Amino acid sequence: MWPYPKVIAHRGGGVLAPENTLAAMQCGLEHGFAAVEFDVMLSKDGVPVLMHDPEFGRTVRGKGSVATTLAADLQRMDAGSWFSEKFAGETVPTYAAVVQFCRAHGIWMNVEIKPTPGSEIETGRVVAQLSLDLFADVAPGEVSRLPLFSSFSFAALAAARQAAPQIPRGFLMSQPGSDWQQRLQELEAVALHTNHQHLTAAVAQQIKGAGYGLLCYTVNTRERAAEILAWGVDAFCTDRIDLIPADF
Ligand code: G3P
Ligand code: MG
């Protein structure tokens, strides 16, 4: 039984706010979403921050990278005006600040661990260790009050498992290969996270039949959402929080 919400605001606020910012979390909340996905990587000084791209240029202007920039500097960088002037001054938030915001508002989190190349193990370990502190008051059995970690990086999730085995994991595979079940077993993962575009009813049935949760990204039409839910998919991220309501 899937213990988490069914519809998840991708990168916080989908298409309505600058991704992976506190304003995005606020935007999702204002649209009735009590579940978010966001991306976490490490700054130069090893602080988990929210960011999708390892290199600047898209959501943060200029040249440079997250892995070569101190967290204090990232927290001063404008991660909002690329999206709209309305969000100018919105900065790169730390993971800790976002967890604090989400927990204060009852928002459940799918924390995508997105290591910069070469920092897979460290990122998984550090995010998991910090999460132990941030969720120290939650009993291990209360899974719906804990985040769900996910990552395309097997090594990052394995490191997260070692550091915080009680925080559940979902393995991200854009298209489940023949080894999907073995990989999930190795990680003691509770779910497979996959690109809905490659999913078929038969594969969904196999995954669900094996007893795993199944989460899809990134589903942006109501028709497709209804189709995959009918296949047994448990949950999906969406950018279109304006089209697909949280209670879809
Ligand atoms: O976690 C699901 C999805 O966010 C994975 O892809 O590139 O949007 O982080 P991406
Ligand atoms: Mg993501």
PDB file of all heavy atoms in Angstrom, residues 1-8 108 148 190-194 199 204 207-209 211-216 219 225 227-237 246 248:
ATOM      1  N   MET A   1       0.858  -1.205   0.000  1.00  0.00           N
ATOM      2  CA  MET A   1       0.000   0.000   0.000  1.00  0.00           C
ATOM      3  C   MET A   1       0.892   1.254   0.000  1.00  0.00           C
ATOM      4  O   MET A   1       1.774   1.400   0.836  1.00  0.00           O
ATOM      5  CB  MET A   1      -0.894  -0.078   1.244  1.00  0.00           C
ATOM      6  CG  MET A   1      -1.746   1.149   1.483  1.00  0.00           C
ATOM      7  SD  MET A   1      -3.181   1.233   0.388  1.00  0.00           S
ATOM      8  CE  MET A   1      -3.900   2.755   0.929  1.00  0.00           C
ATOM      9  N   TRP A   2       0.654   2.147  -0.932  1.00  0.00           N
ATOM     10  CA  TRP A   2       1.443   3.380  -1.095  1.00  0.00           C
ATOM     11  C   TRP A   2       1.068   4.354   0.030  1.00  0.00           C
ATOM     12  O   TRP A   2      -0.078   4.802   0.103  1.00  0.00           O
ATOM     13  CB  TRP A   2       1.119   3.970  -2.462  1.00  0.00           C
ATOM     14  CG  TRP A   2       1.860   5.204  -2.828  1.00  0.00           C
ATOM     15  CD1 TRP A   2       1.366   6.484  -2.857  1.00  0.00           C
ATOM     16  CD2 TRP A   2       3.219   5.306  -3.259  1.00  0.00           C
ATOM     17  NE1 TRP A   2       2.339   7.363  -3.275  1.00  0.00           N
ATOM     18  CE2 TRP A   2       3.498   6.664  -3.529  1.00  0.00           C
ATOM     19  CE3 TRP A   2       4.249   4.371  -3.449  1.00  0.00           C
ATOM     20  CZ2 TRP A   2       4.730   7.120  -3.966  1.00  0.00           C
ATOM     21  CZ3 TRP A   2       5.475   4.824  -3.884  1.00  0.00           C
ATOM     22  CH2 TRP A   2       5.717   6.172  -4.138  1.00  0.00           C
ATOM     23  N   PRO A   3       2.021   4.709   0.878  1.00  0.00           N
ATOM     24  CA  PRO A   3       1.660   5.548   2.032  1.00  0.00           C
ATOM     25  C   PRO A   3       1.764   7.054   1.769  1.00  0.00           C
ATOM     26  O   PRO A   3       1.585   7.848   2.684  1.00  0.00           O
ATOM     27  CB  PRO A   3       2.695   5.122   3.075  1.00  0.00           C
ATOM     28  CG  PRO A   3       3.895   4.722   2.276  1.00  0.00           C
ATOM     29  CD  PRO A   3       3.400   4.214   0.937  1.00  0.00           C
ATOM     30  N   TYR A   4       2.074   7.437   0.516  1.00  0.00           N
ATOM     31  CA  TYR A   4       2.371   8.842   0.198  1.00  0.00           C
ATOM     32  C   TYR A   4       1.279   9.422  -0.712  1.00  0.00           C
ATOM     33  O   TYR A   4       0.503   8.681  -1.319  1.00  0.00           O
ATOM     34  CB  TYR A   4       3.724   8.932  -0.519  1.00  0.00           C
ATOM     35  CG  TYR A   4       4.837   8.195   0.178  1.00  0.00           C
ATOM     36  CD1 TYR A   4       5.469   7.107  -0.433  1.00  0.00           C
ATOM     37  CD2 TYR A   4       5.244   8.565   1.458  1.00  0.00           C
ATOM     38  CE1 TYR A   4       6.493   6.419   0.200  1.00  0.00           C
ATOM     39  CE2 TYR A   4       6.263   7.881   2.102  1.00  0.00           C
ATOM     40  CZ  TYR A   4       6.880   6.812   1.473  1.00  0.00           C
ATOM     41  OH  TYR A   4       7.891   6.128   2.096  1.00  0.00           O
ATOM     42  N   PRO A   5       1.290  10.750  -0.878  1.00  0.00           N
ATOM     43  CA  PRO A   5       0.313  11.343  -1.805  1.00  0.00           C
ATOM     44  C   PRO A   5       0.499  10.840  -3.244  1.00  0.00           C
ATOM     45  O   PRO A   5       1.577  10.376  -3.627  1.00  0.00           O
ATOM     46  CB  PRO A   5       0.605  12.840  -1.698  1.00  0.00           C
ATOM     47  CG  PRO A   5       1.243  13.009  -0.361  1.00  0.00           C
ATOM     48  CD  PRO A   5       2.065  11.769  -0.154  1.00  0.00           C
ATOM     49  N   LYS A   6      -0.570  10.990  -4.021  1.00  0.00           N
ATOM     50  CA  LYS A   6      -0.593  10.471  -5.394  1.00  0.00           C
ATOM     51  C   LYS A   6      -0.048  11.489  -6.404  1.00  0.00           C
ATOM     52  O   LYS A   6       0.595  11.118  -7.377  1.00  0.00           O
ATOM     53  CB  LYS A   6      -2.060  10.145  -5.727  1.00  0.00           C
ATOM     54  CG  LYS A   6      -2.312   9.573  -7.091  1.00  0.00           C
ATOM     55  CD  LYS A   6      -3.750   9.053  -7.204  1.00  0.00           C
ATOM     56  CE  LYS A   6      -4.777  10.130  -6.959  1.00  0.00           C
ATOM     57  NZ  LYS A   6      -6.170   9.678  -7.148  1.00  0.00           N
ATOM     58  N   VAL A   7      -0.324  12.744  -6.187  1.00  0.00           N
ATOM     59  CA  VAL A   7       0.106  13.776  -7.143  1.00  0.00           C
ATOM     60  C   VAL A   7       1.145  14.680  -6.450  1.00  0.00           C
ATOM     61  O   VAL A   7       0.896  15.193  -5.359  1.00  0.00           O
ATOM     62  CB  VAL A   7      -1.077  14.614  -7.660  1.00  0.00           C
ATOM     63  CG1 VAL A   7      -0.636  15.444  -8.863  1.00  0.00           C
ATOM     64  CG2 VAL A   7      -2.254  13.729  -8.047  1.00  0.00           C
ATOM     65  N   ILE A   8       2.269  14.834  -7.118  1.00  0.00           N
ATOM     66  CA  ILE A   8       3.432  15.490  -6.504  1.00  0.00           C
ATOM     67  C   ILE A   8       3.862  16.660  -7.383  1.00  0.00           C
ATOM     68  O   ILE A   8       4.060  16.496  -8.600  1.00  0.00           O
ATOM     69  CB  ILE A   8       4.591  14.467  -6.377  1.00  0.00           C
ATOM     70  CG1 ILE A   8       4.147  13.254  -5.542  1.00  0.00           C
ATOM     71  CG2 ILE A   8       5.839  15.117  -5.783  1.00  0.00           C
ATOM     72  CD1 ILE A   8       5.040  12.027  -5.712  1.00  0.00           C
ATOM     73  N   TRP A 108       4.730  16.709   2.203  1.00  0.00           N
ATOM     74  CA  TRP A 108       5.559  15.510   2.094  1.00  0.00           C
ATOM     75  C   TRP A 108       6.597  15.708   0.969  1.00  0.00           C
ATOM     76  O   TRP A 108       6.333  16.384  -0.023  1.00  0.00           O
ATOM     77  CB  TRP A 108       4.681  14.289   1.786  1.00  0.00           C
ATOM     78  CG  TRP A 108       5.484  13.058   1.551  1.00  0.00           C
ATOM     79  CD1 TRP A 108       6.072  12.284   2.506  1.00  0.00           C
ATOM     80  CD2 TRP A 108       5.807  12.477   0.291  1.00  0.00           C
ATOM     81  NE1 TRP A 108       6.742  11.248   1.916  1.00  0.00           N
ATOM     82  CE2 TRP A 108       6.605  11.353   0.551  1.00  0.00           C
ATOM     83  CE3 TRP A 108       5.528  12.802  -1.038  1.00  0.00           C
ATOM     84  CZ2 TRP A 108       7.116  10.536  -0.465  1.00  0.00           C
ATOM     85  CZ3 TRP A 108       6.034  12.004  -2.049  1.00  0.00           C
ATOM     86  CH2 TRP A 108       6.810  10.887  -1.753  1.00  0.00           C
ATOM     87  N   LEU A 148      10.883  10.443   1.018  1.00  0.00           N
ATOM     88  CA  LEU A 148      11.287   9.301   0.198  1.00  0.00           C
ATOM     89  C   LEU A 148      12.481   9.781  -0.624  1.00  0.00           C
ATOM     90  O   LEU A 148      12.348  10.708  -1.430  1.00  0.00           O
ATOM     91  CB  LEU A 148      10.129   8.878  -0.710  1.00  0.00           C
ATOM     92  CG  LEU A 148      10.396   7.763  -1.722  1.00  0.00           C
ATOM     93  CD1 LEU A 148      10.775   6.447  -1.045  1.00  0.00           C
ATOM     94  CD2 LEU A 148       9.165   7.557  -2.618  1.00  0.00           C
ATOM     95  N   VAL A 190      11.901   0.739  -1.758  1.00  0.00           N
ATOM     96  CA  VAL A 190      10.461   0.447  -1.657  1.00  0.00           C
ATOM     97  C   VAL A 190       9.751   0.726  -2.974  1.00  0.00           C
ATOM     98  O   VAL A 190       8.605   0.330  -3.146  1.00  0.00           O
ATOM     99  CB  VAL A 190       9.788   1.271  -0.538  1.00  0.00           C
ATOM    100  CG1 VAL A 190      10.372   0.901   0.824  1.00  0.00           C
ATOM    101  CG2 VAL A 190       9.904   2.783  -0.790  1.00  0.00           C
ATOM    102  N   ALA A 191      10.418   1.441  -3.883  1.00  0.00           N
ATOM    103  CA  ALA A 191       9.719   1.867  -5.098  1.00  0.00           C
ATOM    104  C   ALA A 191      10.669   2.024  -6.280  1.00  0.00           C
ATOM    105  O   ALA A 191      11.874   2.245  -6.111  1.00  0.00           O
ATOM    106  CB  ALA A 191       9.016   3.204  -4.844  1.00  0.00           C
ATOM    107  N   LEU A 192      10.079   1.919  -7.450  1.00  0.00           N
ATOM    108  CA  LEU A 192      10.770   2.246  -8.695  1.00  0.00           C
ATOM    109  C   LEU A 192      10.178   3.560  -9.202  1.00  0.00           C
ATOM    110  O   LEU A 192       8.949   3.716  -9.232  1.00  0.00           O
ATOM    111  CB  LEU A 192      10.561   1.133  -9.728  1.00  0.00           C
ATOM    112  CG  LEU A 192      11.258   1.356 -11.051  1.00  0.00           C
ATOM    113  CD1 LEU A 192      12.753   1.075 -10.931  1.00  0.00           C
ATOM    114  CD2 LEU A 192      10.682   0.463 -12.133  1.00  0.00           C
ATOM    115  N   HIS A 193      11.053   4.478  -9.596  1.00  0.00           N
ATOM    116  CA  HIS A 193      10.610   5.764 -10.149  1.00  0.00           C
ATOM    117  C   HIS A 193      11.037   5.772 -11.614  1.00  0.00           C
ATOM    118  O   HIS A 193      12.217   5.545 -11.909  1.00  0.00           O
ATOM    119  CB  HIS A 193      11.260   6.932  -9.414  1.00  0.00           C
ATOM    120  CG  HIS A 193      10.905   7.011  -7.963  1.00  0.00           C
ATOM    121  ND1 HIS A 193      10.986   8.178  -7.239  1.00  0.00           N
ATOM    122  CD2 HIS A 193      10.467   6.069  -7.099  1.00  0.00           C
ATOM    123  CE1 HIS A 193      10.603   7.952  -5.991  1.00  0.00           C
ATOM    124  NE2 HIS A 193      10.302   6.682  -5.874  1.00  0.00           N
ATOM    125  N   THR A 194      10.112   6.054 -12.491  1.00  0.00           N
ATOM    126  CA  THR A 194      10.453   5.913 -13.908  1.00  0.00           C
ATOM    127  C   THR A 194       9.747   6.938 -14.784  1.00  0.00           C
ATOM    128  O   THR A 194       8.731   7.515 -14.396  1.00  0.00           O
ATOM    129  CB  THR A 194      10.116   4.466 -14.364  1.00  0.00           C
ATOM    130  OG1 THR A 194      10.761   4.211 -15.614  1.00  0.00           O
ATOM    131  CG2 THR A 194       8.623   4.233 -14.501  1.00  0.00           C
ATOM    132  N   LEU A 199       6.914   3.737 -20.047  1.00  0.00           N
ATOM    133  CA  LEU A 199       6.204   2.706 -19.276  1.00  0.00           C
ATOM    134  C   LEU A 199       5.061   2.105 -20.095  1.00  0.00           C
ATOM    135  O   LEU A 199       4.387   2.800 -20.843  1.00  0.00           O
ATOM    136  CB  LEU A 199       5.649   3.328 -17.983  1.00  0.00           C
ATOM    137  CG  LEU A 199       5.075   2.337 -16.972  1.00  0.00           C
ATOM    138  CD1 LEU A 199       6.176   1.466 -16.364  1.00  0.00           C
ATOM    139  CD2 LEU A 199       4.312   3.079 -15.861  1.00  0.00           C
ATOM    140  N   ALA A 204       4.300  -2.013 -15.806  1.00  0.00           N
ATOM    141  CA  ALA A 204       3.701  -1.513 -14.555  1.00  0.00           C
ATOM    142  C   ALA A 204       3.166  -2.685 -13.736  1.00  0.00           C
ATOM    143  O   ALA A 204       3.366  -2.746 -12.515  1.00  0.00           O
ATOM    144  CB  ALA A 204       2.588  -0.519 -14.864  1.00  0.00           C
ATOM    145  N   ILE A 207       5.995  -4.617 -11.998  1.00  0.00           N
ATOM    146  CA  ILE A 207       6.561  -3.898 -10.848  1.00  0.00           C
ATOM    147  C   ILE A 207       5.595  -3.959  -9.664  1.00  0.00           C
ATOM    148  O   ILE A 207       5.984  -4.266  -8.533  1.00  0.00           O
ATOM    149  CB  ILE A 207       6.899  -2.441 -11.251  1.00  0.00           C
ATOM    150  CG1 ILE A 207       8.011  -2.449 -12.313  1.00  0.00           C
ATOM    151  CG2 ILE A 207       7.315  -1.617 -10.038  1.00  0.00           C
ATOM    152  CD1 ILE A 207       8.130  -1.166 -13.119  1.00  0.00           C
ATOM    153  N   LYS A 208       4.337  -3.702  -9.932  1.00  0.00           N
ATOM    154  CA  LYS A 208       3.341  -3.758  -8.864  1.00  0.00           C
ATOM    155  C   LYS A 208       3.156  -5.190  -8.363  1.00  0.00           C
ATOM    156  O   LYS A 208       3.007  -5.424  -7.167  1.00  0.00           O
ATOM    157  CB  LYS A 208       1.998  -3.190  -9.360  1.00  0.00           C
ATOM    158  CG  LYS A 208       1.983  -1.692  -9.606  1.00  0.00           C
ATOM    159  CD  LYS A 208       2.465  -0.885  -8.418  1.00  0.00           C
ATOM    160  CE  LYS A 208       1.662  -1.159  -7.157  1.00  0.00           C
ATOM    161  NZ  LYS A 208       2.335  -0.606  -5.946  1.00  0.00           N
ATOM    162  N   GLY A 209       3.216  -6.121  -9.286  1.00  0.00           N
ATOM    163  CA  GLY A 209       3.066  -7.532  -8.908  1.00  0.00           C
ATOM    164  C   GLY A 209       4.196  -8.021  -8.009  1.00  0.00           C
ATOM    165  O   GLY A 209       4.020  -8.937  -7.200  1.00  0.00           O
ATOM    166  N   GLY A 211       5.434  -6.220  -5.767  1.00  0.00           N
ATOM    167  CA  GLY A 211       5.232  -5.622  -4.448  1.00  0.00           C
ATOM    168  C   GLY A 211       5.884  -4.267  -4.249  1.00  0.00           C
ATOM    169  O   GLY A 211       5.960  -3.777  -3.119  1.00  0.00           O
ATOM    170  N   TYR A 212       6.324  -3.630  -5.334  1.00  0.00           N
ATOM    171  CA  TYR A 212       6.988  -2.330  -5.207  1.00  0.00           C
ATOM    172  C   TYR A 212       6.032  -1.175  -5.489  1.00  0.00           C
ATOM    173  O   TYR A 212       5.085  -1.315  -6.265  1.00  0.00           O
ATOM    174  CB  TYR A 212       8.172  -2.243  -6.184  1.00  0.00           C
ATOM    175  CG  TYR A 212       9.309  -3.143  -5.777  1.00  0.00           C
ATOM    176  CD1 TYR A 212       9.519  -4.359  -6.409  1.00  0.00           C
ATOM    177  CD2 TYR A 212      10.145  -2.796  -4.716  1.00  0.00           C
ATOM    178  CE1 TYR A 212      10.551  -5.214  -6.019  1.00  0.00           C
ATOM    179  CE2 TYR A 212      11.169  -3.636  -4.312  1.00  0.00           C
ATOM    180  CZ  TYR A 212      11.371  -4.837  -4.967  1.00  0.00           C
ATOM    181  OH  TYR A 212      12.375  -5.663  -4.552  1.00  0.00           O
ATOM    182  N   GLY A 213       6.353  -0.032  -4.897  1.00  0.00           N
ATOM    183  CA  GLY A 213       5.673   1.189  -5.270  1.00  0.00           C
ATOM    184  C   GLY A 213       6.146   1.610  -6.658  1.00  0.00           C
ATOM    185  O   GLY A 213       7.255   1.260  -7.082  1.00  0.00           O
ATOM    186  N   LEU A 214       5.315   2.363  -7.359  1.00  0.00           N
ATOM    187  CA  LEU A 214       5.668   2.797  -8.716  1.00  0.00           C
ATOM    188  C   LEU A 214       5.297   4.272  -8.873  1.00  0.00           C
ATOM    189  O   LEU A 214       4.122   4.646  -8.751  1.00  0.00           O
ATOM    190  CB  LEU A 214       4.924   1.933  -9.739  1.00  0.00           C
ATOM    191  CG  LEU A 214       5.146   2.246 -11.213  1.00  0.00           C
ATOM    192  CD1 LEU A 214       6.618   2.229 -11.597  1.00  0.00           C
ATOM    193  CD2 LEU A 214       4.360   1.252 -12.091  1.00  0.00           C
ATOM    194  N   LEU A 215       6.331   5.078  -9.088  1.00  0.00           N
ATOM    195  CA  LEU A 215       6.152   6.529  -9.224  1.00  0.00           C
ATOM    196  C   LEU A 215       6.644   6.939 -10.605  1.00  0.00           C
ATOM    197  O   LEU A 215       7.711   6.494 -11.037  1.00  0.00           O
ATOM    198  CB  LEU A 215       6.955   7.238  -8.126  1.00  0.00           C
ATOM    199  CG  LEU A 215       6.839   8.761  -8.013  1.00  0.00           C
ATOM    200  CD1 LEU A 215       7.093   9.198  -6.567  1.00  0.00           C
ATOM    201  CD2 LEU A 215       7.775   9.514  -8.938  1.00  0.00           C
ATOM    202  N   CYS A 216       5.867   7.757 -11.291  1.00  0.00           N
ATOM    203  CA  CYS A 216       6.268   8.209 -12.639  1.00  0.00           C
ATOM    204  C   CYS A 216       6.578   9.700 -12.650  1.00  0.00           C
ATOM    205  O   CYS A 216       5.967  10.494 -11.948  1.00  0.00           O
ATOM    206  CB  CYS A 216       5.131   7.963 -13.627  1.00  0.00           C
ATOM    207  SG  CYS A 216       4.992   6.250 -14.122  1.00  0.00           S
ATOM    208  N   VAL A 219       4.410  13.794 -15.545  1.00  0.00           N
ATOM    209  CA  VAL A 219       3.143  13.582 -16.250  1.00  0.00           C
ATOM    210  C   VAL A 219       2.386  14.899 -16.302  1.00  0.00           C
ATOM    211  O   VAL A 219       2.021  15.446 -15.254  1.00  0.00           O
ATOM    212  CB  VAL A 219       2.313  12.492 -15.523  1.00  0.00           C
ATOM    213  CG1 VAL A 219       1.014  12.220 -16.277  1.00  0.00           C
ATOM    214  CG2 VAL A 219       3.138  11.211 -15.378  1.00  0.00           C
ATOM    215  N   ALA A 225      -2.261  10.933 -17.071  1.00  0.00           N
ATOM    216  CA  ALA A 225      -2.304  10.631 -15.637  1.00  0.00           C
ATOM    217  C   ALA A 225      -3.362   9.565 -15.362  1.00  0.00           C
ATOM    218  O   ALA A 225      -3.106   8.585 -14.641  1.00  0.00           O
ATOM    219  CB  ALA A 225      -2.595  11.897 -14.842  1.00  0.00           C
ATOM    220  N   GLU A 227      -4.534   7.386 -17.420  1.00  0.00           N
ATOM    221  CA  GLU A 227      -4.132   6.110 -18.042  1.00  0.00           C
ATOM    222  C   GLU A 227      -3.153   5.333 -17.148  1.00  0.00           C
ATOM    223  O   GLU A 227      -3.358   4.151 -16.862  1.00  0.00           O
ATOM    224  CB  GLU A 227      -3.500   6.379 -19.405  1.00  0.00           C
ATOM    225  CG  GLU A 227      -3.112   5.124 -20.134  1.00  0.00           C
ATOM    226  CD  GLU A 227      -2.580   5.400 -21.536  1.00  0.00           C
ATOM    227  OE1 GLU A 227      -1.914   6.438 -21.755  1.00  0.00           O
ATOM    228  OE2 GLU A 227      -2.835   4.568 -22.423  1.00  0.00           O
ATOM    229  N   ILE A 228      -2.116   6.003 -16.692  1.00  0.00           N
ATOM    230  CA  ILE A 228      -1.110   5.266 -15.900  1.00  0.00           C
ATOM    231  C   ILE A 228      -1.648   4.882 -14.519  1.00  0.00           C
ATOM    232  O   ILE A 228      -1.288   3.839 -13.985  1.00  0.00           O
ATOM    233  CB  ILE A 228       0.240   6.018 -15.804  1.00  0.00           C
ATOM    234  CG1 ILE A 228       0.087   7.363 -15.118  1.00  0.00           C
ATOM    235  CG2 ILE A 228       0.901   6.132 -17.180  1.00  0.00           C
ATOM    236  CD1 ILE A 228       1.410   7.992 -14.730  1.00  0.00           C
ATOM    237  N   LEU A 229      -2.512   5.719 -13.969  1.00  0.00           N
ATOM    238  CA  LEU A 229      -3.111   5.346 -12.674  1.00  0.00           C
ATOM    239  C   LEU A 229      -3.950   4.081 -12.840  1.00  0.00           C
ATOM    240  O   LEU A 229      -3.953   3.205 -11.973  1.00  0.00           O
ATOM    241  CB  LEU A 229      -3.957   6.488 -12.109  1.00  0.00           C
ATOM    242  CG  LEU A 229      -3.171   7.725 -11.623  1.00  0.00           C
ATOM    243  CD1 LEU A 229      -4.138   8.846 -11.241  1.00  0.00           C
ATOM    244  CD2 LEU A 229      -2.249   7.399 -10.443  1.00  0.00           C
ATOM    245  N   ALA A 230      -4.596   3.954 -13.985  1.00  0.00           N
ATOM    246  CA  ALA A 230      -5.399   2.744 -14.248  1.00  0.00           C
ATOM    247  C   ALA A 230      -4.508   1.510 -14.395  1.00  0.00           C
ATOM    248  O   ALA A 230      -4.957   0.381 -14.181  1.00  0.00           O
ATOM    249  CB  ALA A 230      -6.246   2.943 -15.505  1.00  0.00           C
ATOM    250  N   TRP A 231      -3.245   1.715 -14.734  1.00  0.00           N
ATOM    251  CA  TRP A 231      -2.302   0.588 -14.826  1.00  0.00           C
ATOM    252  C   TRP A 231      -1.779   0.164 -13.447  1.00  0.00           C
ATOM    253  O   TRP A 231      -1.005  -0.786 -13.348  1.00  0.00           O
ATOM    254  CB  TRP A 231      -1.079   0.972 -15.661  1.00  0.00           C
ATOM    255  CG  TRP A 231      -1.338   1.227 -17.108  1.00  0.00           C
ATOM    256  CD1 TRP A 231      -2.473   0.940 -17.813  1.00  0.00           C
ATOM    257  CD2 TRP A 231      -0.428   1.821 -18.042  1.00  0.00           C
ATOM    258  NE1 TRP A 231      -2.321   1.319 -19.119  1.00  0.00           N
ATOM    259  CE2 TRP A 231      -1.069   1.864 -19.284  1.00  0.00           C
ATOM    260  CE3 TRP A 231       0.875   2.321 -17.936  1.00  0.00           C
ATOM    261  CZ2 TRP A 231      -0.465   2.379 -20.426  1.00  0.00           C
ATOM    262  CZ3 TRP A 231       1.483   2.848 -19.063  1.00  0.00           C
ATOM    263  CH2 TRP A 231       0.820   2.865 -20.295  1.00  0.00           C
ATOM    264  N   GLY A 232      -2.093   0.961 -12.429  1.00  0.00           N
ATOM    265  CA  GLY A 232      -1.616   0.626 -11.085  1.00  0.00           C
ATOM    266  C   GLY A 232      -0.500   1.511 -10.577  1.00  0.00           C
ATOM    267  O   GLY A 232       0.012   1.296  -9.474  1.00  0.00           O
ATOM    268  N   VAL A 233      -0.104   2.514 -11.382  1.00  0.00           N
ATOM    269  CA  VAL A 233       0.920   3.471 -10.917  1.00  0.00           C
ATOM    270  C   VAL A 233       0.406   4.157  -9.644  1.00  0.00           C
ATOM    271  O   VAL A 233      -0.760   4.530  -9.549  1.00  0.00           O
ATOM    272  CB  VAL A 233       1.222   4.498 -12.035  1.00  0.00           C
ATOM    273  CG1 VAL A 233       2.008   5.686 -11.501  1.00  0.00           C
ATOM    274  CG2 VAL A 233       1.972   3.814 -13.170  1.00  0.00           C
ATOM    275  N   ASP A 234       1.292   4.266  -8.658  1.00  0.00           N
ATOM    276  CA  ASP A 234       0.876   4.786  -7.355  1.00  0.00           C
ATOM    277  C   ASP A 234       0.861   6.304  -7.290  1.00  0.00           C
ATOM    278  O   ASP A 234       0.038   6.886  -6.588  1.00  0.00           O
ATOM    279  CB  ASP A 234       1.834   4.278  -6.267  1.00  0.00           C
ATOM    280  CG  ASP A 234       1.739   2.788  -6.088  1.00  0.00           C
ATOM    281  OD1 ASP A 234       0.661   2.316  -5.676  1.00  0.00           O
ATOM    282  OD2 ASP A 234       2.733   2.084  -6.375  1.00  0.00           O
ATOM    283  N   ALA A 235       1.808   6.922  -7.986  1.00  0.00           N
ATOM    284  CA  ALA A 235       1.969   8.371  -7.837  1.00  0.00           C
ATOM    285  C   ALA A 235       2.737   8.915  -9.033  1.00  0.00           C
ATOM    286  O   ALA A 235       3.419   8.164  -9.742  1.00  0.00           O
ATOM    287  CB  ALA A 235       2.731   8.687  -6.557  1.00  0.00           C
ATOM    288  N   PHE A 236       2.604  10.226  -9.239  1.00  0.00           N
ATOM    289  CA  PHE A 236       3.379  10.852 -10.316  1.00  0.00           C
ATOM    290  C   PHE A 236       3.700  12.295  -9.958  1.00  0.00           C
ATOM    291  O   PHE A 236       2.987  12.936  -9.201  1.00  0.00           O
ATOM    292  CB  PHE A 236       2.619  10.776 -11.653  1.00  0.00           C
ATOM    293  CG  PHE A 236       1.291  11.475 -11.665  1.00  0.00           C
ATOM    294  CD1 PHE A 236       1.190  12.814 -12.008  1.00  0.00           C
ATOM    295  CD2 PHE A 236       0.123  10.794 -11.316  1.00  0.00           C
ATOM    296  CE1 PHE A 236      -0.037  13.466 -12.010  1.00  0.00           C
ATOM    297  CE2 PHE A 236      -1.115  11.444 -11.308  1.00  0.00           C
ATOM    298  CZ  PHE A 236      -1.195  12.778 -11.659  1.00  0.00           C
ATOM    299  N   CYS A 237       4.817  12.762 -10.515  1.00  0.00           N
ATOM    300  CA  CYS A 237       5.174  14.175 -10.421  1.00  0.00           C
ATOM    301  C   CYS A 237       4.560  14.875 -11.618  1.00  0.00           C
ATOM    302  O   CYS A 237       4.525  14.309 -12.716  1.00  0.00           O
ATOM    303  CB  CYS A 237       6.666  14.417 -10.576  1.00  0.00           C
ATOM    304  SG  CYS A 237       7.740  13.537  -9.527  1.00  0.00           S
ATOM    305  N   ALA A 246      -4.259  18.364  -6.981  1.00  0.00           N
ATOM    306  CA  ALA A 246      -3.631  17.453  -6.024  1.00  0.00           C
ATOM    307  C   ALA A 246      -4.521  16.252  -5.719  1.00  0.00           C
ATOM    308  O   ALA A 246      -4.035  15.169  -5.396  1.00  0.00           O
ATOM    309  CB  ALA A 246      -3.288  18.209  -4.748  1.00  0.00           C
ATOM    310  N   PHE A 248      -6.495  14.724  -7.847  1.00  0.00           N
ATOM    311  CA  PHE A 248      -6.893  14.135  -9.140  1.00  0.00           C
ATOM    312  C   PHE A 248      -7.294  12.673  -8.986  1.00  0.00           C
ATOM    313  O   PHE A 248      -6.596  11.901  -8.336  1.00  0.00           O
ATOM    314  CB  PHE A 248      -5.712  14.245 -10.114  1.00  0.00           C
ATOM    315  CG  PHE A 248      -6.003  13.701 -11.491  1.00  0.00           C
ATOM    316  CD1 PHE A 248      -6.788  14.432 -12.379  1.00  0.00           C
ATOM    317  CD2 PHE A 248      -5.513  12.465 -11.886  1.00  0.00           C
ATOM    318  CE1 PHE A 248      -7.045  13.934 -13.652  1.00  0.00           C
ATOM    319  CE2 PHE A 248      -5.771  11.965 -13.160  1.00  0.00           C
ATOM    320  CZ  PHE A 248      -6.545  12.706 -14.039  1.00  0.00           C
TER     321      PHE A 248
END
